[in-house]
Amino acid sequence: MTAMIKTPDLRRADASGTRTGSLLRRHAETLRLLIPVAALWVVLSILTPTFLTALNVTNILVNAVPLALAAAGLTLVIIAGDLDLSVGSTIALVSTASATLMVTFHIPWPLALLAGLVLGAAVGAFNGLVSTRLNVPSFICTLAMMSAVRGLALVISDGRAVTGLPTGVTDLAATRFIGIPLVLWVPIIVIPALGLFLSRTSAGLNIYAVGGNREAARIAGVPVRRTRLLVLTISGLMAGFAGIVSTARLGVGSPIVAEDLILDAIAAVVIGGTSLFGGIGRMGGTVLGVLLIATIRNGLVLMNVSAFYQRIAIGVVILLAAIVDGLGRKNDD
């Protein structure tokens, strides 16, 4: 058999095809998420004339900020093989506590918001300490904290919204920087930084190792307890950011804010490709998952779909994402 001699043009074409194939494989996960998001936007723009307007698109993005921040923190937790169910309650506690500091104790609002961030991280650290030092599964620990922290928020606020916030706080939601609402700059800055931490640092690699195989990670010298404590603390800190943004947008400290946020956050993380079994996931996927959930919510509202049916729709989305995740793992095995 005569071997075919490739000309320089054929070799360049082969190399180009190889690079294209490699690029497509590398971004296959992103395309898998972008396609349904794009399709949903096309369908909703046809069904509802007000969907694809600048005002509505801005509303989708701004409304998604607390969810995006909470889901970003939750991504690290789930990759590490844990779960944090207390993020919604932590948002409510940060909102009411920081508002109470401003209104009742007349603490300057920047310090009160900073205290809210510290409080959020403290809740996450407490979850981490209980889970790692007392060997309480994070699911159980954060489930208990979900109730306790929400109750604490209701006690602090006496079950009512904390009103009379300084104008500096409410102005945060109305201010724009380079034409972009100021609250949008929080995830624009924080989430990529968290993504870089996850993908480019040894601590980030430890998170994948702990989630992939905890015992193997321990044998390899990975500080398992410290890594789990770190991700739960970061999750609390991100809930703190979400609490601050929620307070600024609502103009009050609310003990009932983000009651259903945990469902959307888990859905966004799983849809974004993070495995519920740990060890797999990335921040970019979570961002697209948040965009998909926010779009579904917005589209259902524009079409006057009942809130009851919205819950069903989100539940179905979570179930489908979990099934896809499970089938993917089965194929890998």
Side-chain angles (χ1 to χ4, degrees):
M1 180 182 293
T2 304
M4 186 179 72
I5 299 175
K6 293 186 177 181
T7 65
D9 287 343
L10 282 175
R11 284 197 292 271
R12 279 195 294 271
D14 286 349
S16 176
T18 303
R19 283 196 298 271
T20 303
S22 175
L23 191 65
L24 286 174
R25 283 192 296 274
R26 198 184 312 154
H27 297 286
E29 190 69 19
T30 303
L31 290 173
R32 181 182 69 81
L33 292 167
L34 272 177
I35 290 171
V37 171
L40 190 59
W41 278 54
V42 170
V43 170
L44 288 174
S45 63
I46 294 172
L47 294 177
T48 58
T50 56
F51 176 78
L52 207 56
T53 60
L55 177 62
N56 189 55
V57 171
T58 302
N59 283 338
I60 292 174
L61 297 178
V62 170
N63 289 337
V65 170
L67 173 61
L69 293 168
L74 195 61
T75 300
L76 269 63
V77 175
I78 294 179
I79 290 175
D82 279 301
L83 194 58
D84 184 358
L85 297 176
S86 66
V87 289
S89 298
T90 304
I91 291 172
L93 179 62
V94 168
S95 179
T96 53
S98 56
T100 302
L101 287 175
M102 292 179 236
V103 175
T104 306
F105 297 98
H106 307 291
I107 303 294
W109 66 265
L111 291 179
L113 296 183
L114 182 60
L117 279 182
V118 174
L119 179 61
V123 172
F126 181 82
N127 287 334
L129 286 171
V130 171
S131 183
T132 59
R133 300 297 174 183
L134 302 180
N135 292 323
V136 178
S138 57
F139 172 81
I140 301 298
C141 173
T142 57
L143 179 64
M145 287 297 285
M146 180 175 70
S147 176
V149 170
R150 179 73 66 177
L152 185 57
L154 289 166
V155 169
I156 290 174
S157 61
D158 199 21
R160 295 190 293 266
V162 181
T163 59
L165 300 186
T167 54
V169 177
T170 52
D171 286 348
L172 291 176
T175 304
R176 288 176 175 263
F177 178 65
I178 320 180
I180 298 175
L182 200 57
V183 293
L184 267 180
W185 283 102
V186 180
I188 288 174
I189 295 171
V190 173
I191 293 179
L194 205 57
L196 287 175
F197 165 78
L198 182 63
S199 61
R200 302 296 173 86
T201 67
S202 58
L205 295 178
N206 287 345
I207 293 171
Y208 283 104
V210 170
N213 188 320
R214 195 166 290 177
E215 188 57 33
R218 184 178 290 108
I219 293 171
V222 175
V224 174
R225 284 185 176 179
R226 198 165 63 201
T227 301
R228 295 179 60 211
L229 173 62
L230 177 65
V231 295
L232 286 165
T233 303
I234 291 175
S235 179
L237 177 65
M238 296 300 286
F241 276 115
I244 289 173
V245 170
S246 297
T247 305
R249 290 193 57 237
L250 296 172
V252 297
S254 172
I256 59 171
V257 70
E259 281 188 309
D260 295 331
L261 180 134
I262 185 61
L263 287 178
D264 288 1
I266 292 174
V269 173
V270 176
I271 290 169
T274 297
S275 173
L276 284 170
F277 299 94
I280 299 172
R282 60 194 179 84
M283 203 56 69
T286 295
V287 172
L288 290 174
V290 168
L291 186 58
L292 183 64
I293 293 291
T295 301
I296 292 173
R297 289 275 190 199
N298 180 270
L300 294 174
V301 169
L302 289 180
M303 290 188 292
N304 293 320
V305 175
S306 162
F308 304 149
Y309 290 103
Q310 291 182 33
R311 284 172 176 260
I312 295 173
I314 295 300
V316 170
V317 169
I318 294 174
L319 183 60
L320 289 175
I323 290 173
V324 170
D325 179 38
L327 290 176
R329 287 181 63 84
K330 187 177 179 181
N331 291 333
D332 290 342
D333 292 341

